[in-house]
Amino acid sequence: MMEVSYREEGVASAASSVAGRLVADGVPARLAGGDPTLWGEDADAEAAAGRPAPPRSSRELLPVLGELAERARAAGLTNVVLAGTGGSALAAEVICATGDVPLTVLDTTDPGQVRRALADGLESTVVVVTGGGGQAVEADSQLRIFERLFADAGLDPAGRIVVVADPGSPPARRAAAGGFHLVPAGAGGPHSVLSAPALVPAALAGADVARLLDEAEEVLPLLSLDSGNPGLDLGAALGGAALAGRDKLVMEDQLSSIFGLPDWIEQLIAESTGKQGRGILPVVGADPNRSGDELVVAIESDVGDVRVDGPLGAQFVVWEYATAVAALLLEVDPCDRPNVAEPEENTAALLALPDLPAGAPAFVDGPVEVYGSATAKDLPGLFAELLHAIPGDGYLAIMAYLDRLAAFDAPVPDGADFEQMTDAWMMADPQTLRTLLALRTDRPVTFGWGPRFLHSTGQYHKGGPQNGVFVQITGVVTEDVAVPGRPYSLGRLQLAQALGDLGALETRGRPAVRLHLTDRAAGVARLLEAAQEA
C-alpha cells in the first residue's frame, strides 16, 4: 500500500497548514471526482484532466493489449521501439525498466541514436508511435524512417507499426493510410500516465500492465479522503514547501526497486507547475546541497524530508494527484502548457530557411565552439562566469542535443572490470559535466537531453521563475539520416530544435550559451576537463 511520511518538522508544519485549507474547501473529494471548477468557475470539463485518469478505464484496453502482444510474439516481433515523447514515453520507460523487459525509447532526433535503433534486428522490430491529438516532429520523423526502412527490406510496415492516437487526428489518418494498427489514445494530458500511450508499448515489451492497474486501483479510494490520503499528504508537502520558498525538489531513489521514476516525476511536475513565473523545479540525479530552498523527497528511503513508499502503479496515481494539488496551491492550471509550443514554432520557421542561422562563435576552445554573450576567452573561464551568474535562488540547466548512448562507445582497457568500464563511460558522458559543475556551486544543476526535455522541463525553463542560467550543447553530425517525405534530415532538424529553443530562452532574457562540439567525443572530453579547471 502507498504511504507518505514527513521526516522533517518544517515540512510537516507547512503541509499541515495548507492541507487544512484544502480539506475545508472540499478539495480531496472534488479533485478525485474531477470537478473542473477547481481551476476556475469558468473552467470546462477538459480542465478535469488536471486530475489523474481513473486506471479502471484502462482495463478496457487489456484485451486489446493482450491481442497485440500475442500477435507480435507469434510474428517474432520481440524488439519493441517506442517513437514518442513526453510523460507517456517516460512512463513506459520506467515501467519496462522496473519490470526488466527491453524497450527502446526514441524521444530524440539525434541521427546517431536513431541509427542505433535502425541497426537493431529490423526483422524482429515492432514500432509503437504515440501521437495523441497531434504528433510531435520526433515521432513523425521516426515513423517515416521506419516505414521506408521496412519497405526497403521487403517487410510489410502495416504489420510492424502500431499507432496510438485520437481517432480523426493527423496520426490516426496516417495510420489509416498506411494500414497500421490504430489504438485510441484515450484520456490525454500530463495526468493520464495509465492510458494507452504508455501501456501499449509496455505491454508489447512484456510488462505486466494488469498488475500495474491493480496497484493503481488499490490506492484510488484513498484519494477522496480528508485524512489518510497519500496524494493529499504528498501534494500538501510539495505545494506547502514551495509556498514557503522551498521550490527546488531534489529526488532520491538510489535504494528504490523502481527504476527511473524521478525522470517521469521531473516531467510531470516541471510541466504542470512551471508557468506564470512560478513553479517547482525538480532536480534529478544530484546530491542535495541542503540549501534553504530545497525539499528532498526520497522513494523508499529515509534520506529525505519526505519519504514515499508504494508499488509503481500506486506511485504513478499518487504523484499525479499530488502534482495537481501542488499546482492548485500555486494557483496554476496543471494542464496548461503555454510555453511548450514556442520552440516547436521556432523550429518550423528555422527549417523553412535555406540555411540555419547558427551565427559566428564568440570564441573557440579546441573542439568546442562557444556561441552567445561571454567575456571569457576559454571554457574554464566561461564555466566560472556562468556559475557566478546564477542568482541566489536560481539554478544552472545543461541541455544536451546529443546521442545519450554514445558514452557506451568509449574505449575501455583490455580486461577492465565493471568499475573501470563505468569510469570510462562516465568520462565520455556529457551528464558528467553536471556532476563536475555541481561541485563548484551550492545551487542546483539540472541536466536534460534534447529534444526530450522540451516536453518536460522546457516548460519550466520558459514559464517558471526568471532565475535560470542555461548551457546548451550541440554537436557535429557526421552520418546523417534522411527523413522520407520531408525537406530536412534528422541532423538539420536536431540543430533547428536546439536553435529554436535557444531563441525562446533569449527572447525572455534568460542567460544562455551554446557549446558546439566540432568533434563529439573530443568535445565532451574537453568540456569535462575545463569544468575541472574552472
Side-chain angles (χ1 to χ4, degrees), residues 38 169 225 360 406 431 504 523 531:
L38 280 168
S169 66
L225 302 180
Q431 290 191 90

Side-chain angles (χ1 to χ4, degrees), residues 273-372:
T273 69
K275 58 205 75 171
Q276 299 177 29
R278 65 195 79 158
I280 297 170
L281 175 69
V283 183
V284 178
D287 292 327
N289 289 316
R290 295 300 174 187
S291 56
D293 59 351
E294 284 184 346
L295 175 71
V296 182
V297 176
I299 311 296
E300 300 178 341
S301 168
D302 284 335
V303 300
D305 304 311
V306 179
R307 174 172 176 151
V308 184
D309 291 277
L312 179 56
Q315 291 270 2
F316 278 142
V317 174
V318 166
W319 277 98
E320 287 175 329
Y321 183 104
T323 300
V325 169
L328 190 63
L329 290 168
L330 292 174
E331 300 182 355
V332 296
D333 182 347
C335 290
D336 183 26
R337 302 184 301 164
N339 307 113
V340 167
E342 185 179 352
E344 298 171 358
E345 293 165 357
N346 289 353
T347 297
L350 288 168
L351 288 172
L353 300 174
D355 297 296
L356 295 178
F363 67 86
V364 178
D365 186 326
V368 182
E369 297 175 342
V370 177
Y371 295 82

Side-chain angles (χ1 to χ4, degrees), residues 8-57:
E8 198 259 341
E9 186 176 340
V11 172
S13 176
S16 175
S17 175
V18 296
R21 176 155 51 92
L22 293 169
V23 168
D25 291 340
V27 167
R30 291 171 64 193
L31 181 59
D35 181 358
T37 62
L38 280 168
W39 317 112
E41 290 300 324
D42 298 327
D44 59 26
E46 288 186 7
R51 70 183 177 98
R56 66 178 66 94
S57 65

Side-chain angles (χ1 to χ4, degrees), residues 51-423:
R51 70 183 177 98
R56 66 178 66 94
S57 65
S58 295
R59 287 211 171 272
E60 301 169 7
L61 278 173
L62 289 178
V64 175
L65 298 178
E67 181 183 339
L68 277 174
E70 186 176 340
R71 185 186 307 167
R73 282 193 297 269
L77 304 180
T78 55
N79 179 39
V80 184
V81 176
L82 170 57
T85 59
S88 60
L90 290 164
E93 193 169 60
V94 174
I95 292 167
C96 291
T98 301
D100 196 25
V101 294
L103 174 70
T104 298
V105 177
L106 280 184
D107 51 359
T108 182
T109 48
D110 185 82
Q113 196 169 330
V114 172
R115 287 171 69 90
R116 292 172 191 276
L118 300 179
D120 195 9
L122 190 66
E123 69 286 344
S124 63
T125 295
V126 57
V127 179
V128 181
V129 183
T130 58
Q135 186 158 329
V137 66
E138 300 93 327
D140 174 69
S141 298
Q142 289 149 18
L143 170 58
R144 292 170 178 274
I145 290 167
F146 273 103
E147 184 180 18
R148 172 69 59 83
L149 199 64
F150 285 139
D152 288 349
L155 303 170
D156 181 13
R160 295 169 175 272
I161 296 176
V162 178
V163 175
V164 183
D166 298 327
S169 66
R173 293 196 295 270
R174 183 91 167 78
F180 311 139
H181 193 103
L182 176 67
V183 179
H191 299 267
S192 56
V193 64
L194 293 177
S195 54
L199 296 183
V200 168
L204 281 171
D208 188 349
V209 297
R211 177 182 174 184
L212 200 69
L213 296 176
D214 288 343
E215 294 167 353
E217 284 199 55
E218 283 183 15
V219 78
L220 205 62
L222 302 179
L223 299 183
S224 60
L225 302 180
D226 291 344
S227 63
N229 179 337
L232 177 63
D233 293 341
L234 180 56
L238 298 174
L243 291 174
R246 298 174 68 173
D247 59 356
K248 311 300 188 299
L249 173 62
V250 180
M251 285 177 285
E252 166 61 52
D253 72 332
Q254 291 186 28
L255 300 179
S256 175
S257 59
I258 300 172
F259 189 84
L261 186 62
D263 288 331
W264 173 77
I265 295 171
E266 176 184 47
Q267 179 274 333
L268 176 72
I269 289 181
E271 194 173 61
S272 299
T273 69
K275 58 205 75 171
Q276 299 177 29
R278 65 195 79 158
I280 297 170
L281 175 69
V283 183
V284 178
D287 292 327
N289 289 316
R290 295 300 174 187
S291 56
D293 59 351
E294 284 184 346
L295 175 71
V296 182
V297 176
I299 311 296
E300 300 178 341
S301 168
D302 284 335
V303 300
D305 304 311
V306 179
R307 174 172 176 151
V308 184
D309 291 277
L312 179 56
Q315 291 270 2
F316 278 142
V317 174
V318 166
W319 277 98
E320 287 175 329
Y321 183 104
T323 300
V325 169
L328 190 63
L329 290 168
L330 292 174
E331 300 182 355
V332 296
D333 182 347
C335 290
D336 183 26
R337 302 184 301 164
N339 307 113
V340 167
E342 185 179 352
E344 298 171 358
E345 293 165 357
N346 289 353
T347 297
L350 288 168
L351 288 172
L353 300 174
D355 297 296
L356 295 178
F363 67 86
V364 178
D365 186 326
V368 182
E369 297 175 342
V370 177
Y371 295 82
S373 300
T375 59
K377 300 303 180 185
D378 59 16
L379 282 171
L382 177 68
F383 288 145
E385 189 175 305
L386 292 169
L387 292 170
H388 182 72
I390 304 173
D393 63 346
Y395 65 101
L396 176 69
I398 303 171
M399 309 162 295
Y401 285 79
L402 300 169
D403 177 355
R404 66 181 173 124
L405 301 178
F408 296 114
D409 296 335
V412 297
D414 290 338
D417 59 22
F418 182 73
E419 185 176 345
Q420 291 170 317
M421 288 191 290
T422 301
D423 289 342

